[in-house]
Amino acid sequence: MVVEGRQRIDKWLFFSRAVKSHSLAAKLVVAGRVRINRDKAAQASDLVKPGDVLTITLDRRIFVWKVLGTGARRGPAEEARTLYEDMSPPPAPKGDAPPDAIPALREAGSGRPTKKERRQTDRLLDDD
């Protein structure tokens, strides 16, 4: 069921199954994690219409969805997928580290000190 016209962004996110509840959708918008046509959505009552492009940040993932219609209810997943077209970039391969990753500060394989090593360090400090 697709209804034409405009709809509140929080209701649309709930109907499209982007989030689990209407209140979580409102919190997501207020937190600034939703953009409508590259502009931050300021309030949960901001309106979306077919043709708008949403950028949604959820759990370290970025979704780019084009609104195809407004919903009348939170239906099954197949119905929710008719509300948007997914234009998200493909996810990065899991084996590759992100380019801005911080390298390890300790040598590989050194691990945590053992109890014996900690005692030796404590004895050296106590002798001073």
Side-chain angles (χ1 to χ4, degrees):
M1 286 181 78
V2 177
V3 179
E4 296 303 321
R6 295 176 156 253
Q7 188 169 41
R8 289 173 55 117
I9 184 67
D10 58 344
K11 285 181 75 173
W12 190 91
L13 289 169
F14 177 58
F15 291 161
S16 67
R17 294 184 161 262
V19 291
K20 289 184 177 184
S21 71
H22 191 161
S23 60
L24 284 177
K27 288 178 185 176
L28 188 72
V29 174
V30 171
R33 297 184 178 270
V34 178
R35 292 179 175 264
I36 304 171
N37 298 326
R38 295 187 179 178
D39 296 325
K40 263 188 188 174
Q43 302 174 9
S45 62
D46 287 351
L47 300 175
V48 293
K49 63 185 181 311
D52 286 345
V53 177
L54 303 179
T55 306
I56 306 162
T57 306
L58 283 174
D59 299 327
R60 297 183 187 175
R61 294 178 298 173
I62 298 175
F63 296 105
V64 181
W65 289 352
K66 182 177 182 179
V67 178
L68 299 179
T70 56
R73 68 184 186 116
R74 182 179 168 94
E78 294 81 26
E79 185 178 317
R81 277 190 226 108
T82 63
L83 299 179
Y84 62 89
E85 173 188 347
D86 192 0
M87 301 181 346
S88 303
K94 291 186 179 185
D96 297 338
D100 58 346
I102 300 172
L105 299 178
R106 59 184 171 86
E107 295 180 24
S110 64
R112 293 176 57 183
T114 63
K115 190 171 186 178
K116 183 178 181 181
E117 291 170 341
R118 288 195 313 263
R119 284 183 184 153
Q120 289 174 349
T121 305
D122 290 343
R123 285 185 194 139
L124 291 175
L125 294 174
D126 289 340
D127 289 341
D128 291 336

